[in-house]
Structure formats: C-alpha cells, structure tokens
Amino acid sequence: MRNFLIILSVLVFFTACSSDKNTVVTSPDGNVAVTLLTDDSLQLRYQVEVDGKPFILPSRFGFDERQGFNLSQSFTIDNIKKNQCDETWTQPWGENKAIRNHYNEMEVRLHNPENVSLTLRFRIFDDGLGFRYEYTVPGADSLLVSDELTQFNFAKEATSWSIPANFDTYELLYRRLPLSQVENANTPITLRTDDSLYASIHEAALTDFPEMTLLRTDSLQFAANLAPWPDGVKARFDGNSFTTPWRTIQIAREAVGLINSSLILNLNEPCALDSTDWIHPMKYVGVWWGMHLGIESWVMGDRHGATTENAIKYIDFAAKNGIEGVLFEGWNAGWENWGGSQTFDYTKPYDDFDMKRISDYAREKGVKIIGHHETGGNVLNYESQLDKALQWYADYGVHDVKTGYAGGLPNGHNHHGQFNVRHYRHVVQTAARYHTTINAHEPIKDTGIRRTYPNMMSREGARGMEWNAWSDGNPPMHHVMLPFTRLLGGPMDYTPGIFDILYENAKNNPNRKQWNMKDSKDCRINTTLAKQIALWVILYSPVQMASDCIENYEGHPAFQFFRDFEADCDESRALQGEPGEFVAIVRRAGEKYFLGAATNEEARTLTVKLDFLKPGVAYDAAIYADAPDADWVTNPKAYTIDHRTVTADDTLEVRMAAGGGQAVSFIPKR
Ligand code: NOJ
Ligand code: CA
C-alpha cells in the first residue's frame, strides 16, 4: 500500500507551430478548457471555460520586478508541448491512500526581447486546474519580485465563503458574501456561481514564495496580493531563476465535489523522504484544555498543568483507552516570557516535569509522548536551537512535535511572507532528519506539501477549539464551513471533542483564574455534544485529539466512539453538504466505517444511503445522536446511543438538532 504504484502513465509530446498564439488545453473529460491569449501589446492572459461557458474572463499573467527586469511584457511563444498523465499513487496516510492523478498539461515556453525565458505550465483536471510560472532571467544575480499580476476575472456573480486577507493570521471568522462585495480574501476562497457551479481558488506547493491572497480590483476582478517582506519586496531569490507555487482553481458541480478532489495534493511533488515507515497517525489526548480554561497554567506554579504527576495520569488514561499519544504543553522553561521576550528553552524542562521518568513510563505503557515547541513567533530563537531540540526529544523517544507561533515575528516579518514560509519548510525538513513529525499551530496555510514531506502531519490555520475558551467562540456554522474552505488545503488540528460543553466542571474548579479575554460566564462550546463527536470524523486530521480534560471522559458512555475511532483512514467520501450549512462525510479505516454529519444553527434530517458499506456484510451501527429535545442553545448535552444491525442496502435518517450532529461507527458483526 505504501509503495508508489503507477497504474498508467502516458506522456504524449508534440510541438505546436511557433506562430500559434491562441492556445487551448482541456481537461481529460473535455469540460474544462483553458486558453492562453497573447494580445497586440503582447500581454499574456488566460481564460477558463467550464461546460462551454465562460468562467474566468481574460485575466493577466506576470510579475513586476524591483530592479527593472521585465517579467510580464512582450513575451512571444517559442513552443508548446502537450502532455497527458494518468497515474495512481499512494500516500502513507491521508483521507484517501490511493490517489488518481489524471490531467492534460500544456507547457508553453516563451521569451521576451530581454531574453527572459518563461515557461507557463498548465495542468487541467476534470475537477479544476493549476498553473505556475518558471522564470530564468539572463544576467540577473538576484531577483526581487515586487508584485504578482495574476488576475482572476470572474465571468459571473457568485456567493462566496472566505476569511479576510491577513498576512499574520487565519484565525478569523468566515463570511458569506456576494463575490462582488469581497474586498480581499485569503485562500481557499470558495464560490457558487448563480448557475450552481462550485469553485475554490487556492494555491499548491507553497514552499519558497509568499502566500497569495486576493484583492478585488474591479467588480468581479481580483488580483493576487502577496505577503511582503519588511522592505516591501514580495519574493526574493539569489541567482536568476524561480518557480512559483501553483495557482489553483477547483471546480465541481456539487459542493462536496470540492472536498472529494485531490487536485491540491496532485500538484505537489512526490515524496522526497527516503522512508516513511516511522510516520504514524494517531489519536491523542493532552495537558492542554485546562490551560485554555484557566484551571491550569503553562508556567510552573500552583496551577501548573505539565507536572510529572499529571503526565503519569494522562499516560495511564491513554493506555487504558487505546489512545496512542499524549501532548504536554507548558513543560519547558520560557513560558514566563510568553508575550515578552519569547525566549523558550527547548531542552530545559521545568523542575516539576521529570522527562526521564515520564518518558520511561510512557514507553513502558506503549504510549507516545507528543512534544511541544511554542516559539511565541521568535523563529530566530527556535532555529538557533532546532537541531539540539529535536535531538533532545529523539533521545527520549519523542518523534512527534506540535509547534506554535503565537506572537509577532522578529524584525518586522509577518507570519505568511516568504521568510517564514522558508522557516516552516526548514522545520519540516530538519524534523524529517530526526524521523520526527510536525503538527504546526499558527502555520502557513496548507497547500498540500504533505505529499512531498509526509512528516508534515497536521496544522491549525483557522479558528480552532481554543477560541471557545476565551472568546465568543466559533459559531455553529463554522464547523460546517471548514470542510468546504480551510480543509480543502489539507488536514486541520482543530482538536474537537469537548464534552463539558458548558464548562460546568471547569467553572466549579476553585483553581480557575480568568486569564482570558472574555467573561467566563459567557464562554461555552457552541454545539451539541453529538456534534463534538461527529467533528472527529468530519474535521480530518491524521493526529486527532480528544481535547477535553480526561476527567470529563472518565465513565462517559459517549467516549466509546473515540475508543473505536481510527485517526487515519483508507478512503473518505463527502456525501452531502453545502458550505456553512451542513455536511456528511464517511471514512473507511480497514473494515470499519465512520460517518460524521453536522449542521449549522438549523435542525435538519439527512437521508443517507449506506451503499458505501461492503456489500453482504452485516455491521453493528453505533449511532451517537442528538436527543429529540437537544438544542445547542438550550439543551446541548442531551444525546442518545442506539445500536442497529445494518447492511449496504439500508438507509439512515440522520436527525440533527439545531447546532447538532450525528456520528455513527459501523463495525462488522462477527
Ligand atoms: C496557540 C495554539 O493554537 C494552542 O493550541 C496552544 O495551546 C497555544 N498557542 C500555546 O502554545
Ligand atoms: Ca492558534
């Protein structure tokens, strides 16, 4: 399964005549067509048609360069190659293990009077397209990209779902807006045109470039707006060449088609690691939520969370419940400077955290420790200790690390500029040398680099669970928005599964100190309990957390779902859904299946055919549902657990309360 398996790969080359300026390439099924246009001023432009109708009207290509190199004008075509690819490759983990990569490629080589050579590479799939730029500039020692000119000039008004553009954070609330009213947006931005075509604009393989956001330049026209360096330069390169990430447009006839697409992964480079057998998806718990609620602290003191005693308790709980990993935050010196000098020490545990004893105990119990490297944004401090820190953890048998960047970057850098994109990549590559996996919080957006570096497991990159502890929280629509937006890029460490929905236990805890921004009286989880369970299935992460304090799981009947659940799976399918309204997703892990469905503020019932199950097999369906009188506002904790014997011929009525959800595990009956 882990072997790279090419079923079919056909490459057909031909060279078009050099005077051909009007160039078209279509998807394998012929429904998506991209045309490269060169007009009289020799400005490069492209247009996209879907089902024979305009989708992107002529839109510009190119870049501006600060030293005066011409990267946009007067290009003429030297030759055009057309290639086809149809292969199936496998990944060590992921929503789907086997992935079909089926596209038609158009490689257009151009040059301009300054002899700048540009290859525009287009790959057109049945479910969308990507294009990228490959430049070589004779005589340049360095290149300073000052602007990207790529446009997305939409043909029609659409409903859109996105977060605003921001070069430092993605932890923002989603907006549903007519496209013509979006001033700027981060990607993925998802749309539905008035004639019901779904699309999402994003990027793939962002490893050495600033992130792309969109800026509206005319009613339905957007231009790429890149995160800058402190001096305003957008991207800088030593030498005379550079290749950009792919600019991507996913296209689907149904909203769930966007989720079921592998376009972003397919546009990334194949695995660059020699071996991947050391990479393990896992379920985990952690010393974490207590800090966010204020009943424990990261800093050593009376309320310290990461003590040896607590660590042993969490390891015991994990071992007893078949949970593979335990995360400890607040274990190392430096938390007292969080928000100040941000000088964490990654090899100095607090005195009450006995790393030797804890790691010996975890090994004995067969539980993995998940390490934590909070940087506070001080990436220079982190980089100066990176090798030593990873080696230190590896010596204790720790090969999975959660990183964090909660705080400003040094020297005026922002989180999403090229400087930090390089940092994030450097961490992933360095970690691979120690056979260590990374789960990044406050990350760069996910653009599918897990294909190339499968030790890049999961990341945050949207408002996660933590926002419910110290703000108005994430509204019910947020969780049914994420699969259609943020998660199109890749897995998310949202950390679902809070059972103490109203924080009753936390509020009764005499240790609780309000460090947070919001009055504790108002804070709560804005879902039902059944929806929390469903989110373990819906919000895919190969490292999936049961995020509540373990006391809230002890003896709770509904925790059985997490015990049965598998963090990783073999196949996934989004069955039904609309952005911000509802979603139903099924995943297969070996012989087991898991269904997760959730809704926004509206109660609704979905009819789900069980034809995804293996025919002829009887399954025990354990149904974790909202109780008939459940409601996320007035009665969020009311749930039921029912068992039914089902087969692939059956249909389930999935009833969900307002702000609710439903989770079902299907386990073959013996
Ligand atoms: C923000 C992260 O998202 C959260 O998970 C973590 O607990 C804090 N930073 C502290 O590192
Ligand atoms: Ca965060």
Side-chain angles (χ1 to χ4, degrees), residues 2 28 47 94 126 140 198 277 289 291 300 313 323 335 377 441 444 463 481 489 517 532 534 628:
R2 289 183 182 182
Q47 67 185 28
D126 291 347
Y198 291 83
D277 51 0
W289 187 232
M291 274 90 88
M300 193 168 75
K313 222 169 71 186
I323 294 167
W335 285 91
H441 277 231
I444 188 63
R463 278 167 70 116
M481 184 71 83
M517 299 165 330
Q532 286 296 308

Tab-separated table of all heavy atoms in Angstrom, residues 2 28 47 94 126 140 198 277 289 291 300 313 323 335 377 441 444 463 481 489 517 532 534 628:
chain	number	residue	atom	x	y	z
A	2	ARG	N	2.026	1.151	0.713
A	2	ARG	CA	2.843	2.356	0.797
A	2	ARG	C	3.730	2.527	-0.422
A	2	ARG	O	4.447	3.493	-0.557
A	2	ARG	CB	3.678	2.318	2.077
A	2	ARG	CG	2.767	2.518	3.259
A	2	ARG	CD	3.452	2.561	4.538
A	2	ARG	NE	2.391	2.716	5.538
A	2	ARG	CZ	2.594	2.831	6.815
A	2	ARG	NH1	3.800	2.823	7.277
A	2	ARG	NH2	1.596	2.984	7.638
A	28	PRO	N	-9.278	16.073	-19.214
A	28	PRO	CA	-9.473	14.778	-19.879
A	28	PRO	C	-10.922	14.555	-20.325
A	28	PRO	O	-11.162	13.999	-21.392
A	28	PRO	CB	-9.048	13.773	-18.807
A	28	PRO	CG	-8.045	14.524	-17.982
A	28	PRO	CD	-8.515	15.942	-17.956
A	47	GLN	N	-7.900	32.516	-20.125
A	47	GLN	CA	-9.326	32.461	-19.809
A	47	GLN	C	-9.718	31.012	-19.571
A	47	GLN	O	-9.040	30.093	-20.039
A	47	GLN	CB	-10.167	33.086	-20.918
A	47	GLN	CG	-10.144	32.305	-22.208
A	47	GLN	CD	-10.881	33.018	-23.325
A	47	GLN	OE1	-10.975	34.251	-23.341
A	47	GLN	NE2	-11.408	32.248	-24.266
A	94	GLY	N	-3.592	9.589	4.983
A	94	GLY	CA	-4.362	10.628	4.293
A	94	GLY	C	-5.823	10.249	4.211
A	94	GLY	O	-6.199	9.122	4.542
A	126	ASP	N	-10.249	17.002	-14.532
A	126	ASP	CA	-11.713	17.065	-14.656
A	126	ASP	C	-12.301	17.953	-13.562
A	126	ASP	O	-13.387	18.505	-13.720
A	126	ASP	CB	-12.332	15.662	-14.562
A	126	ASP	CG	-11.990	14.814	-15.786
A	126	ASP	OD1	-11.507	15.398	-16.783
A	126	ASP	OD2	-12.192	13.588	-15.728
A	140	ALA	N	20.911	38.235	-14.369
A	140	ALA	CA	20.481	38.635	-13.011
A	140	ALA	C	21.284	37.862	-11.958
A	140	ALA	O	21.482	36.656	-12.092
A	140	ALA	CB	19.001	38.353	-12.836
A	198	TYR	N	-19.653	25.167	-8.454
A	198	TYR	CA	-18.844	25.435	-7.259
A	198	TYR	C	-17.378	25.537	-7.672
A	198	TYR	O	-16.925	24.807	-8.571
A	198	TYR	CB	-19.010	24.313	-6.236
A	198	TYR	CG	-20.386	24.292	-5.627
A	198	TYR	CD1	-21.440	23.660	-6.280
A	198	TYR	CD2	-20.638	24.929	-4.420
A	198	TYR	CE1	-22.703	23.652	-5.736
A	198	TYR	CE2	-21.905	24.923	-3.863
A	198	TYR	CZ	-22.939	24.284	-4.531
A	198	TYR	OH	-24.197	24.279	-3.993
A	277	ASP	N	8.178	4.785	7.013
A	277	ASP	CA	7.588	3.810	7.944
A	277	ASP	C	7.655	4.277	9.400
A	277	ASP	O	7.069	3.660	10.280
A	277	ASP	CB	8.229	2.427	7.773
A	277	ASP	CG	9.741	2.478	7.816
A	277	ASP	OD1	10.294	3.597	7.990
A	277	ASP	OD2	10.382	1.420	7.671
A	289	TRP	N	-6.369	21.632	27.472
A	289	TRP	CA	-7.608	22.429	27.587
A	289	TRP	C	-7.667	23.151	28.934
A	289	TRP	O	-8.171	24.271	29.027
A	289	TRP	CB	-8.799	21.494	27.384
A	289	TRP	CG	-10.164	22.119	27.308
A	289	TRP	CD1	-11.253	21.770	28.036
A	289	TRP	CD2	-10.615	23.170	26.424
A	289	TRP	NE1	-12.348	22.517	27.678
A	289	TRP	CE2	-11.978	23.388	26.690
A	289	TRP	CE3	-9.991	23.942	25.445
A	289	TRP	CZ2	-12.737	24.348	26.008
A	289	TRP	CZ3	-10.741	24.906	24.770
A	289	TRP	CH2	-12.089	25.102	25.051
A	291	MET	N	-5.395	24.610	30.489
A	291	MET	CA	-4.697	25.902	30.421
A	291	MET	C	-5.577	26.945	29.739
A	291	MET	O	-5.653	28.091	30.161
A	291	MET	CB	-3.380	25.772	29.657
A	291	MET	CG	-2.222	25.330	30.512
A	291	MET	SD	-2.054	23.549	30.574
A	291	MET	CE	-1.016	23.250	29.164
A	300	MET	N	5.240	27.277	35.377
A	300	MET	CA	5.343	26.498	36.612
A	300	MET	C	4.808	27.322	37.784
A	300	MET	O	5.075	28.506	37.886
A	300	MET	CB	6.801	26.112	36.867
A	300	MET	CG	6.926	25.059	37.940
A	300	MET	SD	8.573	24.353	38.016
A	300	MET	CE	9.464	25.665	38.803
A	313	LYS	N	-0.820	10.498	34.974
A	313	LYS	CA	-2.273	10.303	34.927
A	313	LYS	C	-2.769	10.246	33.470
A	313	LYS	O	-3.570	9.391	33.101
A	313	LYS	CB	-2.938	11.494	35.635
A	313	LYS	CG	-4.096	11.131	36.526
A	313	LYS	CD	-4.512	12.311	37.395
A	313	LYS	CE	-5.190	13.393	36.569
A	313	LYS	NZ	-5.491	14.617	37.299
A	323	ILE	N	-5.474	4.944	23.280
A	323	ILE	CA	-5.118	6.213	22.623
A	323	ILE	C	-3.592	6.254	22.519
A	323	ILE	O	-2.888	6.068	23.518
A	323	ILE	CB	-5.674	7.399	23.446
A	323	ILE	CG1	-7.203	7.345	23.382
A	323	ILE	CG2	-5.126	8.728	22.959
A	323	ILE	CD1	-7.891	8.230	24.378
A	335	TRP	N	7.945	29.897	29.416
A	335	TRP	CA	6.540	30.329	29.375
A	335	TRP	C	6.342	31.621	30.150
A	335	TRP	O	5.424	32.394	29.854
A	335	TRP	CB	5.624	29.220	29.894
A	335	TRP	CG	5.501	28.148	28.862
A	335	TRP	CD1	6.284	27.040	28.733
A	335	TRP	CD2	4.586	28.139	27.762
A	335	TRP	NE1	5.905	26.326	27.626
A	335	TRP	CE2	4.869	26.970	27.009
A	335	TRP	CE3	3.562	28.976	27.329
A	335	TRP	CZ2	4.159	26.641	25.856
A	335	TRP	CZ3	2.852	28.642	26.197
A	335	TRP	CH2	3.152	27.493	25.469
A	377	GLY	N	6.540	33.081	18.174
A	377	GLY	CA	6.864	33.858	16.968
A	377	GLY	C	8.359	34.107	16.824
A	377	GLY	O	8.824	34.557	15.770
A	441	HIS	N	0.887	24.815	14.736
A	441	HIS	CA	-0.168	25.800	15.017
A	441	HIS	C	0.340	27.177	14.599
A	441	HIS	O	1.536	27.399	14.526
A	441	HIS	CB	-0.558	25.752	16.492
A	441	HIS	CG	-1.549	24.669	16.752
A	441	HIS	ND1	-2.738	24.872	17.425
A	441	HIS	CD2	-1.547	23.369	16.374
A	441	HIS	CE1	-3.404	23.736	17.456
A	441	HIS	NE2	-2.706	22.813	16.840
A	444	ILE	N	1.763	28.258	8.240
A	444	ILE	CA	1.433	28.793	6.922
A	444	ILE	C	0.278	27.921	6.408
A	444	ILE	O	0.133	26.764	6.806
A	444	ILE	CB	2.664	28.760	5.977
A	444	ILE	CG1	2.387	29.497	4.677
A	444	ILE	CG2	3.118	27.322	5.703
A	444	ILE	CD1	2.114	30.977	4.832
A	463	ARG	N	-9.702	29.195	12.959
A	463	ARG	CA	-10.091	29.245	14.374
A	463	ARG	C	-10.383	27.832	14.867
A	463	ARG	O	-11.297	27.182	14.388
A	463	ARG	CB	-11.335	30.119	14.548
A	463	ARG	CG	-11.040	31.610	14.598
A	463	ARG	CD	-12.293	32.408	14.455
A	463	ARG	NE	-13.157	32.327	15.596
A	463	ARG	CZ	-13.476	33.359	16.385
A	463	ARG	NH1	-12.959	34.555	16.146
A	463	ARG	NH2	-14.308	33.209	17.379
A	481	MET	N	-18.422	24.985	7.729
A	481	MET	CA	-17.752	25.839	6.741
A	481	MET	C	-16.347	25.297	6.475
A	481	MET	O	-15.879	25.264	5.326
A	481	MET	CB	-17.639	27.256	7.316
A	481	MET	CG	-17.068	28.268	6.385
A	481	MET	SD	-18.215	28.635	5.085
A	481	MET	CE	-19.233	29.845	5.901
A	489	GLY	N	-7.371	22.651	1.684
A	489	GLY	CA	-5.899	22.686	1.636
A	489	GLY	C	-5.285	21.441	2.237
A	489	GLY	O	-4.220	20.993	1.821
A	517	MET	N	-9.837	36.679	27.708
A	517	MET	CA	-10.282	37.990	27.259
A	517	MET	C	-11.762	38.201	27.497
A	517	MET	O	-12.276	39.267	27.306
A	517	MET	CB	-10.021	38.116	25.766
A	517	MET	CG	-8.577	37.981	25.527
A	517	MET	SD	-7.937	37.689	23.954
A	517	MET	CE	-8.610	36.914	22.779
A	532	GLN	N	-19.896	17.401	18.685
A	532	GLN	CA	-18.479	17.285	19.038
A	532	GLN	C	-17.923	15.932	18.596
A	532	GLN	O	-16.798	15.831	18.113
A	532	GLN	CB	-18.284	17.453	20.550
A	532	GLN	CG	-18.440	18.892	21.037
A	532	GLN	CD	-17.374	19.804	20.460
A	532	GLN	OE1	-16.189	19.528	20.543
A	532	GLN	NE2	-17.795	20.907	19.867
A	534	ALA	N	-19.172	14.002	16.175
A	534	ALA	CA	-19.168	13.962	14.704
A	534	ALA	C	-17.951	14.691	14.129
A	534	ALA	O	-17.418	14.308	13.082
A	534	ALA	CB	-20.458	14.581	14.173
A	628	PRO	N	-33.995	13.783	21.156
A	628	PRO	CA	-35.096	14.501	20.495
A	628	PRO	C	-35.254	15.937	20.988
A	628	PRO	O	-35.642	16.818	20.224
A	628	PRO	CB	-36.319	13.656	20.858
A	628	PRO	CG	-35.776	12.293	21.109
A	628	PRO	CD	-34.388	12.466	21.654
